[in-house]
Amino acid sequence: MEGARMIPADEATNLAILRELERKVLWISSYMIHYANHEVDRGDGLKVGGHQASSASLVTLMTALYFRVLRPQDRVAVKPHASPVFHAIQYLLGHQSLDQLQNFRGFGGTQSYPSRTKDKDDVDFSTGSVGLGVAVTGFASLVQDYVHAKGWSKEWPKGRMISLMGDAELDEGNIHEALLEYWKHGLKNCWWVIDYNRQSLDSVVSDRLFMKLAGLFENLGWKVVLIKYGKLLQRAFAEPGGQRLKEWIDDCPNMLYSALVFQGGAAWRRQLEQDLAIHPDTLAILRRHDDEALAQLMTNLGGHDLEAIIEAFEGAPSDQPVCFIAYTIKGFGLPFQGHKDNHAGLMTKAQIEALRVREDINQGEEWDRLAGVRVAASKIEDFLARVPFRQKGARRLQGPRIALDTFPKLEWKGQLATQSGFGRVLDEIARANGPLAERIVTTSPDVTVSTNLGAWVNRRGLFSLASQEDLFRERGLMSPQRWALSPKGQHIELGIAEMNLFLMLAALGLSHSLFGERLLPVGTLYDPFICRGLDALNYACYQDARFIVAGTPSGLTLAPEGGAHQSISTPLIGMAQDGLASFEPAYADELAVIMEWAFDYIQRQAAEHGDPRWQRDEQGGSVYLRLSTRPLEQPTRTITPELRQGIIDGGYWLRRPDPAAELAIVYCGAVAPEAIAAAGLLSEDRRGVGVLAVTSADRLSAGWHAAQRAKDEGDRAARARVEDLLGGLSRDAALLTVMDGYPEALSWLGGVRGHRVRALGVEHFGQSGSIGELYGHYGLDVNAILAAAEGISGRPVRYRVQ
Ligand SMILES: Cc1ncc(C[n+]2csc(CCOP(=O)(O)OP(=O)(O)O)c2C)c(N)n1
Ligand SMILES: [Mg+2]
């Protein structure tokens, strides 16, 4: 009989201590939520939250993990609503302050959902948008494999990347996309611990559907471990009549089970006596328990039984990913346990008082770390000091900066598209073969070649844990792509799912912090499909992951590809996305300047929790390049330091306006030739029309906002780049902006100094056609610019293009 296994004395003590810690975690996390909701008046908006019931179901699992199973190299994504449990555990370990606990959900306090960037303790992965924190763990594990395959990260053995996840998270499609991707890359060190409380926000999930998911995991190479019954139940099942009891529980619908959990001992007895009336042995088991003990027995699910959990965790295989399905009760140990409406449930004052008394905590000692423990506090402190997880101290690592002195100096001639320029810069970096080339890792969702990464991959190879030669090459078959797979490779090929691209970039972009090895990740995708992965992009930025992403090709300009591929809104996304500096250069020399800057920018790290002012230049961030396949005649010019700064800050005068000019044309990206040609024609009858090249509407606007804020705060000299640029233009002049994207990405420029604006851009879905036809139809060609100039100045334009 398994339950009667002899437990060594040390182990018995350890278990007793863990049980006390479990009680403390339940109390501290519950009190923290109660305190935020009842004791501090922060206005109604901050009060509710779905934490209480949702936290309680993870208390035992997290106690077992953090105080026993985890090692310093393990990394955990804690489901959003279990944030109080996480912080309570950190508090017990001495890594979290009381002040932070008391300010849960308050300004500057512990965040509602675990946050790497905002929380002050050791959050490994942010969570919040369900499904994303789960999926990033698998990608982090693949990045760990990558780093180790290169022989790096010597001081940190491979850890397990763990997700403590809600069962409803499996409804998110990104989880399933990730599972397929993991399989291709041979995922190993990853645990997903599903808090199977069978309740999501609104309902009780279907058990049958869920068990189908278990099959899915197994099909994709995961070991599935059910943590279904606790030791009390296991022992009862082994008694005469116990099998009947087991069958009854297995057949019990979730709804009925949940209702009985809520109702308690007497209701259990009534139901069981009725359903098992013809099984005297089973009835005898029930009779050996009073109401309280019966409720305890019947709710002894695996996810609330320390011994069962530890057995499952410690017996898990290490050569494959493991999915633990831990049966739990939402709100376990609290008055609304099991109730289907408990998601936003909060305990009343009377209920928290009752819990305090039950947990032997005196009034006034609510926050004492070890108040009410039933084992000597000194023994618990000893135990806490020896907890394996904490033995290496702070786990926020730092990878040394990668030098950029091997960045190539290139000359650009003839006709070239920014997308080709991008491929060429990477190719030259690869050829130069320095530390920069070594640390770059590229990735793309099935568009490696069509986004111009081919040459880079030819030189640096595809990454795979197993080596495999390029079969076409071996057989002497002609192909421009030489794609050998090996652990040395530096390109990670992904399936089409863009969510996976951004989760991979999130994981690669945290490598310095998670594994102490800095990577310089570069991802590419077709620009319109940024929207497909947008929440994951936002998630990556929220965690301060560092990467460069190229959206290419973009806009109407990829003309014959048609409306489904022509991005319109991405310039606005690039501007509005925090943590992402966006650029849309027109020329390759600008792109090269931006890329060199970007490889530095993604490595910057200012003081923690700094104030993100002045374009975040000290803090750094990630970079988005919106590129094009339209070849443009390259200017022959020297990049002076001043021009370089203009390109990086977001804009420069390609042609300075006359102080008395009545008009300036402002362009961004691939429409440069139209803007320049129109300015030329306008010069025939208008004085000194200026041409402003915008390389980053995002950085111009960020700098402007920052300077205004600085002014508000008393820095009178604060002046943004864009104020200087437009300062050279008379107030009566008009701005005519043009870009291949939604016009409001540039029209705001009128607000800087009060210039009138006419903004040309794309507002409606595109279609197939030539660039000329589409620019004509959508109003981006030379004549459209001239017509707009006429409209805004109220004066006829003499020349048009015939
Ligand atoms: C993408 C996304 N959609 C919706 C929500 C709102 N939401 C927060 S928790 C939750 C249900 C969570 O259920 P489960 O994962 O089973 O966790 P439990 O509360 O049962 O512990 C929902 C819908 C969210 N956070 N993210
Ligand atoms: Mg749930």
Side-chain angles (χ1 to χ4, degrees):
M1 188 171 100
E2 212 191 346
R5 173 174 70 101
M6 282 297 287
I7 301 176
D10 274 2
E11 180 65 353
T13 315
N14 286 343
L15 274 174
I17 292 175
L18 281 172
R19 287 207 174 90
E20 293 310 294
L21 289 169
E22 179 190 9
R23 288 178 53 224
K24 289 311 307 177
V25 174
L26 178 68
W27 166 256
I28 295 169
S29 59
S30 301
Y31 192 62
M32 193 178 151
I33 299 162
H34 175 83
Y35 192 85
N37 281 283
H38 293 282
E39 306 297 333
V40 218
D41 184 11
R42 302 200 199 101
D44 290 340
L46 289 169
K47 289 206 163 188
V48 273
H51 296 86
Q52 197 121 53
S54 189
S55 273
S57 61
L58 264 180
V59 165
T60 326
L61 284 155
M62 286 177 70
T63 301
L65 271 173
Y66 279 90
F67 294 118
R68 164 131 176 181
V69 177
L70 291 183
R71 297 295 178 266
Q73 61 270 25
D74 296 328
R75 300 279 180 179
V76 191
V78 177
K79 75 170 183 181
H81 280 123
S83 127
V85 181
F86 172 78
H87 295 297
I89 288 173
Q90 297 293 317
Y91 182 61
L92 286 166
L93 287 170
H95 296 158
Q96 179 60 289
S97 69
L98 173 58
D99 171 60
Q100 282 287 303
L101 291 197
Q102 290 180 329
N103 203 8
F104 173 54
R105 286 170 72 88
F107 187 63
T110 31
Q111 300 297 296
S112 198
Y113 307 118
S115 167
R116 270 183 71 81
T117 50
K118 312 266 183 232
D119 275 318
K120 309 240 177 347
D121 45 2
D122 204 9
V123 172
D124 289 324
F125 300 104
S126 302
T127 60
S129 177
V130 299
L132 298 181
V134 178
V136 84
T137 56
F139 289 102
S141 177
L142 298 178
V143 171
Q144 180 176 246
D145 288 343
Y146 182 93
V147 162
H148 281 259
K150 302 287 187 270
W152 302 334
S153 197
K154 293 220 161 47
E155 285 161 38
W156 290 84
K158 280 191 186 181
R160 293 160 293 200
M161 302 296 119
I162 300 175
S163 164
L164 300 173
M165 58 191 281
D167 43 7
E169 298 199 61
L170 284 160
D171 288 340
E172 291 288 357
N174 80 275
I175 298 267
H176 301 261
E177 295 174 358
L179 282 172
L180 302 183
E181 197 60 55
Y182 300 158
W183 183 83
K184 292 187 233 165
H185 299 278
L187 177 73
K188 282 197 180 62
N189 296 296
C190 188
W191 281 8
W192 284 3
V193 183
I194 304 176
D195 173 5
Y196 188 36
N197 59 24
R198 286 146 297 156
Q199 275 178 265
S200 53
L201 263 186
D202 297 332
S203 67
V204 176
V205 293
S206 152
D207 201 37
R208 279 178 48 227
L209 176 65
F210 205 80
M211 287 307 132
K212 287 195 185 295
L213 290 173
L216 180 78
F217 276 96
E218 277 168 350
N219 267 334
L220 290 169
W222 291 61
K223 170 82 179 171
V224 175
V225 177
L226 292 188
I227 313 181
K228 189 163 184 183
Y229 304 113
K231 293 291 168 187
L232 294 179
L233 275 173
Q234 288 179 24
R235 276 178 217 123
F237 295 159
E239 291 176 36
Q243 268 312 308
R244 288 270 169 226
L245 188 64
K246 180 168 185 296
E247 282 160 23
W248 185 92
I249 293 193
D250 284 345
D251 293 343
C252 181
N254 282 336
M255 271 292 190
L256 174 60
Y257 184 82
S258 299
L260 291 170
V261 168
F262 179 70
Q263 287 177 294
W268 279 114
R269 190 175 304 284
R270 243 177 286 124
Q271 186 76 38
L272 289 167
E273 282 181 350
Q274 182 188 321
D275 294 352
L276 300 168
I278 57 168
H279 302 292
D281 287 349
T282 318
L283 292 179
I285 298 178
L286 307 182
R287 256 178 247 122
R288 287 197 288 277
H289 294 76
D290 64 17
D291 279 1
E292 197 187 322
L294 185 61
Q296 198 189 2
L297 174 70
M298 296 306 290
T299 57
N300 179 236
L301 296 185
H304 298 304
D305 190 286
L306 274 171
E307 272 184 83
I309 292 169
I310 290 170
E311 201 171 277
F313 284 158
E314 292 184 348
S318 59
D319 56 351
Q320 66 186 123
V322 188
C323 169
F324 299 92
I325 302 181
Y327 282 67
T328 59
I329 291 164
K330 192 154 168 170
F332 185 70
L334 303 179
F336 41 57
Q337 61 178 5
H339 198 288
K340 69 182 176 61
D341 304 332
N342 69 10
H343 185 77
L346 276 177
M347 279 191 272
T348 61
K349 284 202 169 195
Q351 286 173 327
I352 200 87
E353 271 301 289
L355 186 65
R356 182 182 64 73
V357 171
R358 185 186 90 186
E359 295 302 323
D360 291 337
I361 293 162
N362 296 324
Q363 258 176 347
E365 292 177 357
E366 289 85 353
W367 293 111
D368 286 10
R369 279 167 63 254
L370 299 182
V373 289
R374 293 159 192 166
V375 170
S378 60
K379 275 195 173 170
I380 299 185
E381 293 289 12
D382 276 357
F383 181 93
L384 287 173
R386 283 183 285 109
V387 161
F389 179 61
R390 69 184 307 178
Q391 296 308 315
K392 276 194 163 185
R395 296 151 61 257
R396 196 55 71 92
L397 312 179
Q398 259 158 25
R401 267 185 173 234
I402 311 305
L404 302 182
D405 37 19
T406 50
F407 193 89
K409 307 275 172 272
L410 295 170
E411 277 193 26
W412 307 96
K413 287 197 197 103
Q415 300 251 326
L416 200 72
T418 45
Q419 177 178 304
S420 319
F422 170 76
R424 176 133 178 251
V425 169
L426 285 173
D427 187 26
E428 292 295 332
I429 292 174
R431 200 221 299 258
N433 208 13
L436 171 61
E438 190 177 68
R439 290 289 167 154
I440 290 177
V441 49
T442 55
T443 183
S444 183
D446 211 17
V447 290
T448 303
V449 176
S450 45
T451 56
N452 271 52
L453 283 179
W456 161 267
V457 180
N458 278 346
R459 288 192 197 278
R460 312 302 295 194
L462 281 171
F463 174 73
S464 160
L465 286 175
S467 293
Q468 191 187 319
E469 268 308 312
D470 183 340
L471 200 87
F472 269 63
R473 195 168 188 218
E474 266 178 19
R475 299 190 163 213
L477 301 175
M478 292 290 283
S479 161
Q481 318 298 344
R482 298 183 300 275
W483 284 15
L485 285 154
S486 84
K488 285 190 181 151
Q490 285 178 251
H491 177 72
I492 303 176
E493 182 68 355
L494 298 172
I496 297 176
E498 284 78 12
M499 273 279 175
N500 285 339
L501 169 73
F502 286 113
L503 288 166
M504 180 58 104
L505 287 174
L508 289 166
L510 290 175
S511 173
H512 54 284
S513 182
L514 297 175
F515 309 121
E517 296 291 345
R518 189 173 293 281
L519 298 175
L520 304 172
V522 178
T524 64
L525 80 167
Y526 289 174
D527 195 56
F529 305 129
I530 280 181
C531 300
R532 179 73 77 101
L534 193 52
D535 199 25
L537 168 62
N538 179 60
Y539 174 69
C541 292
Y542 183 62
Q543 302 212 73
D544 201 22
R546 298 304 179 82
F547 53 88
I548 297 172
V549 63
T552 184
S554 62
L556 269 189
T557 308
L558 62 146
E561 276 287 285
H565 279 56
Q566 293 162 348
S567 57
I568 298 174
S569 61
T570 47
L572 292 176
I573 290 173
M575 289 178 83
Q577 179 61 57
D578 190 22
L580 192 69
S582 309
F583 293 87
E584 183 166 356
Y587 299 111
D589 59 358
E590 298 168 348
L591 175 71
V593 165
I594 293 163
M595 286 177 75
E596 184 172 12
W597 175 86
F599 280 119
D600 181 64
Y601 183 71
I602 63 173
Q603 301 192 59
R604 293 183 196 171
Q605 208 85 51
E608 298 263 307
H609 314 292
D611 184 11
R613 292 194 344 187
W614 293 107
Q615 304 172 324
R616 295 170 61 106
D617 273 12
E618 306 89 58
Q619 275 176 284
S622 287
V623 175
Y624 160 41
L625 307 171
R626 188 174 190 251
L627 304 181
S628 171
T629 38
R630 184 185 189 193
L632 302 187
E633 187 62 32
Q634 298 297 306
T636 34
R637 57 182 171 181
T638 314
I639 302 278
T640 60
E642 190 198 349
L643 177 56
R644 176 182 303 274
Q645 198 57 50
I647 291 167
I648 289 164
D649 286 350
Y652 61 92
W653 285 109
L654 193 71
R655 190 159 127 187
R656 275 190 191 283
D658 192 282
E662 61 186 271
L663 186 75
I665 297 183
V666 183
Y667 77 88
C668 180
V671 295
E674 281 69 24
I676 293 164
L681 288 171
L682 283 167
S683 299
E684 299 290 332
D685 55 24
R686 280 158 170 77
R687 266 240 321 264
V689 173
V691 179
L692 183 67
V694 172
T695 48
S696 172
D698 178 31
R699 302 239 326 144
L700 283 183
S701 115
W704 181 45
H705 288 298
Q708 284 173 300
R709 237 178 352 259
K711 254 183 231 150
D712 294 346
E713 289 165 10
D715 180 355
R716 289 162 143 250
R719 239 169 104 86
R721 170 108 202 158
V722 70
E723 290 174 289
D724 283 340
L725 284 171
L726 296 179
L729 199 61
S730 145
R731 292 242 173 177
D732 301 328
L735 297 179
L736 208 165
T737 69
V738 52
M739 74 178 301
D740 180 1
Y742 199 69
E744 261 50 72
L746 291 180
S747 67
W748 62 272
L749 286 166
V752 176
R753 290 187 158 264
H755 293 114
R756 279 170 300 134
V757 177
R758 172 83 167 88
L760 302 181
V762 185
E763 296 153 78
H764 302 293
F765 290 123
Q767 56 187 302
S768 301
S770 68
I771 291 181
E773 287 164 332
L774 295 181
Y775 279 15
H777 183 78
Y778 291 88
L780 298 180
D781 66 358
V782 177
N783 281 343
I785 298 173
L786 296 175
E790 193 169 280
I792 198 161
S793 64
R795 207 151 62 75
V797 165
R798 197 179 321 159
Y799 295 101
R800 299 273 166 129
V801 178
Q802 294 310 315

